[in-house]
Amino acid sequence: MDESTDVNDTAQLILFIRGIDENFSVTEELARMRSLKGTTKGSDIFHEFLEGLLILKVPISKICNITTDGAPNMIGKISGFAGIFNQIYPKNNVVFLHCIIHQDILCKAALDIKPVLDVIVKIVNIIRSRALTYR
């Protein structure tokens, strides 16, 4: 789950669902994208999350992990999404994780990955410089 602002300064909430079937095949899909009108408090995000689960017909008991960024409206213990979720569903053992992209940035501070990042930046710059390959 991620909440960010688009180019029109409108907050967008995106829900991805990752599932594993009986053959241990992993699938991940963009399940829902909603514009958040007004505020982006934890309660607003929680309401949109529940509405998305209802529309997708995913029971709350099937949720075992929620990955978010580290924003206070997502991980706040009282008024953030995670806090509200844990207050309403205290018996549900959902694990909240920090987004893997943000974890990579945190790990970068502890590891010397400058040679890898230099190559990645060079590749991205090459792709962006050519109009036909930009997309």
Side-chain angles (χ1 to χ4, degrees):
M1 184 167 69
D2 188 34
E3 179 266 322
S4 60
T5 307
D6 63 12
V7 294
N8 294 326
D9 206 27
T10 303
Q12 303 288 341
L13 180 68
I14 300 172
L15 297 176
F16 286 94
I17 291 186
R18 180 180 294 154
I20 302 172
D21 65 9
E22 60 276 350
N23 297 324
F24 296 104
S25 296
V26 178
T27 58
E28 181 178 80
E29 292 190 31
L30 172 63
R32 183 169 168 87
M33 184 170 123
R34 289 285 296 191
S35 296
L36 297 175
K37 306 294 183 201
T39 62
T40 58
K41 297 185 288 189
S43 58
D44 301 325
I45 294 170
F46 182 74
H47 173 74
E48 290 295 333
F49 171 78
L50 286 182
E51 188 177 309
L53 291 184
L54 284 173
I55 289 171
L56 297 168
K57 298 179 182 162
V58 175
I60 200 77
S61 61
K62 295 287 185 181
I63 304 295
C64 60
N65 177 297
I66 298 175
T67 305
T68 65
D69 60 4
N73 63 346
M74 288 288 196
I75 62 167
K77 290 185 179 183
I78 297 171
S79 62
F81 169 79
I84 295 169
F85 186 93
N86 287 329
Q87 289 170 11
I88 294 176
Y89 300 105
K91 301 283 186 201
N92 199 341
N93 293 325
V94 171
V95 176
F96 285 89
L97 292 178
H98 198 271
C99 178
I100 190 68
I101 294 169
H102 297 95
Q103 287 178 359
D104 288 347
I105 292 170
L106 293 173
C107 289
K108 185 183 89 164
L111 301 173
D112 181 26
I113 58 172
K114 185 176 178 346
V116 176
L117 286 178
D118 289 343
V119 173
I120 291 170
V121 168
K122 187 182 242 181
I123 291 169
V124 169
N125 288 337
I126 289 170
I127 292 170
R128 289 187 59 107
S129 68
R130 294 186 172 99
L132 293 176
T133 60
Y134 178 71
R135 279 200 166 179

